[in-house]
Amino acid sequence: MNKLKQAARKINWKIANLAFWAELLITYLMPLAREDASGQAGFPFPFLTVYEKHLGVNLFSSVQISIGALLGDVIALYFLLLGCRALYRGLRRSLKKGNLSKQKNLMSTQKES
């Protein structure tokens, strides 16, 4: 149980929440991939299947949701967002270092003159 708590502390829950809601938004906006008499949605793994021939009384009898594929999508998007965040921070640091070195060079040339 202690290892589970440690792993939960390492997860960035804000990014995980963003990944989940982004996955749902992507699925909502993405067109259904047609197969036989059903359509599938989800990125990168399809987790939502809508059946056309077996339309039931309510929505839940004509829709199938794969929780495993949804979890896989959220995990993939989570790592993608973490990578984008790390790339952004690295670029921002390198730009700050470049600006600082330019300022130091400028100040040294001003002192010499």
Side-chain angles (χ1 to χ4, degrees):
M1 191 66 170
N2 207 8
K3 290 182 180 180
L4 186 62
K5 286 182 182 180
Q6 289 174 351
R9 287 186 192 138
K10 291 181 181 180
I11 295 172
N12 188 334
W13 291 105
K14 288 182 181 180
I15 293 180
N17 188 25
L18 177 66
F20 176 75
W21 288 108
E23 178 62 34
L24 292 181
L25 183 65
I26 289 169
T27 302
Y28 180 73
L29 297 176
M30 193 171 121
L32 293 175
R34 309 292 280 176
E35 287 186 14
D36 300 329
S38 65
Q40 292 185 334
F43 178 78
F45 311 111
F47 69 89
L48 176 70
T49 305
V50 180
Y51 298 103
E52 293 178 12
K53 289 187 178 178
H54 305 291
L55 291 176
V57 178
N58 59 18
L59 177 67
F60 297 113
S61 61
S62 60
V63 172
Q64 177 187 0
I65 298 174
S66 172
I67 300 298
L70 175 61
L71 186 61
D73 287 346
V74 171
I75 289 170
L77 199 55
Y78 173 78
F79 284 116
L80 180 71
L81 289 173
L82 279 179
C84 290
R85 180 176 156 214
L87 181 66
Y88 171 74
R89 286 183 173 178
L91 288 173
R92 192 173 68 183
R93 282 187 199 126
S94 67
L95 288 175
K96 281 184 180 180
K97 286 181 183 178
N99 288 338
L100 287 175
S101 65
K102 285 181 184 178
Q103 288 176 355
K104 286 180 183 179
N105 289 339
L106 227 162
M107 291 177 77
S108 66
T109 55
Q110 287 178 352
K111 286 181 181 178
E112 290 173 1
S113 51

